[in-house]
Amino acid sequence: MKYVGNKEENIEYKKRPGAYAIIVNKNDNKVGIVTDDTGYFYLGGGIEEGETKLEALKRELIEESGYTIKNIKEFEQVGSHIYDEAKGYLEVIANVYIAEFDEKITEPIEKDHTVLWVKPEEYEKKMFREWQRYIMKKFIEKRNQKRQVEL
């Protein structure tokens, strides 16, 4: 697993494993991300005690978007040491997947979250956390490699 960013010395970080998705739309090559009043993020969040990564991912996607997901594929795992205003110093272990929206089954619980469909290249440097920018860069690189193979 790759770590991005810096770790401050003499700080005790609380481990925070999470599951996140880059939602793809195969019709227009855009991806779904979420925004709130602090910035741009991937859909997903922390894995709660007793949950598997996929259970957490599916729960978070329903909470944030109201959608179930399909065609879920592991993409990358990345770690980062961050400071969060509400939670303090965290060692984020982000398990990132590629998925598609399936069915809308409810209204989102998290009303301050809005799903945006964006071109990855336009949002790579706009993602809120450094690890999220790293993941978007990797996604763009892998997608471009796949396109080269298809030519």
Side-chain angles (χ1 to χ4, degrees):
M1 173 176 57
K2 175 161 178 70
Y3 274 82
V4 296
N6 297 319
K7 179 180 180 182
E8 292 187 40
E9 296 295 321
N10 303 317
I11 298 286
E12 188 171 328
Y13 289 85
K14 179 181 173 190
K15 286 200 183 290
R16 181 70 169 148
Y20 303 88
I22 299 173
I23 303 299
V24 295
N25 181 340
K26 296 190 181 208
N27 296 328
D28 64 8
N29 291 316
K30 290 185 177 179
V31 298
I33 59 173
V34 69
T35 187
D36 65 13
D37 60 353
T38 59
Y40 302 104
F41 305 88
Y42 297 112
L43 288 107
I47 300 170
E48 295 179 1
E49 192 169 326
E51 278 186 320
T52 66
K53 293 182 279 190
L54 284 177
E55 288 169 342
L57 181 67
K58 292 174 182 179
R59 174 186 51 77
E60 286 283 348
L61 269 283
I62 290 170
E63 289 175 4
E64 294 178 352
S65 70
Y67 280 86
T68 58
I69 52 176
K70 63 182 182 179
N71 299 329
I72 305 164
K73 297 178 185 85
E74 287 187 9
F75 180 65
E76 190 97 19
Q77 185 181 59
V78 63
S80 186
H81 295 91
I82 66 167
Y83 178 77
D84 180 272
E85 291 282 331
K87 297 176 182 122
Y89 289 94
L90 302 174
E91 179 182 357
V92 173
I93 309 297
N95 300 279
V96 184
Y97 296 84
I98 307 292
E100 297 174 52
F101 278 152
D102 191 15
E103 296 180 53
K104 183 161 185 168
I105 61 169
T106 188
E107 289 302 311
I109 294 168
E110 298 183 19
K111 301 293 184 198
D112 63 333
H113 286 56
T114 303
V115 175
L116 301 176
W117 292 98
V118 302
K119 293 179 180 178
E121 297 79 6
E122 293 176 4
Y123 280 77
E124 174 190 345
K125 292 181 171 61
K126 295 179 183 178
M127 301 301 287
F128 186 69
R129 299 269 185 216
E130 185 175 357
W131 72 262
Q132 295 164 335
R133 295 187 292 271
Y134 168 82
I135 289 293
M136 190 69 85
K137 181 179 179 189
K138 286 292 187 190
F139 175 80
I140 293 165
E141 288 171 0
K142 287 187 180 186
R143 188 185 62 185
N144 289 343
Q145 288 171 353
K146 183 179 176 187
R147 286 184 181 157
Q148 289 298 320
V149 169
E150 291 173 355
L151 295 178

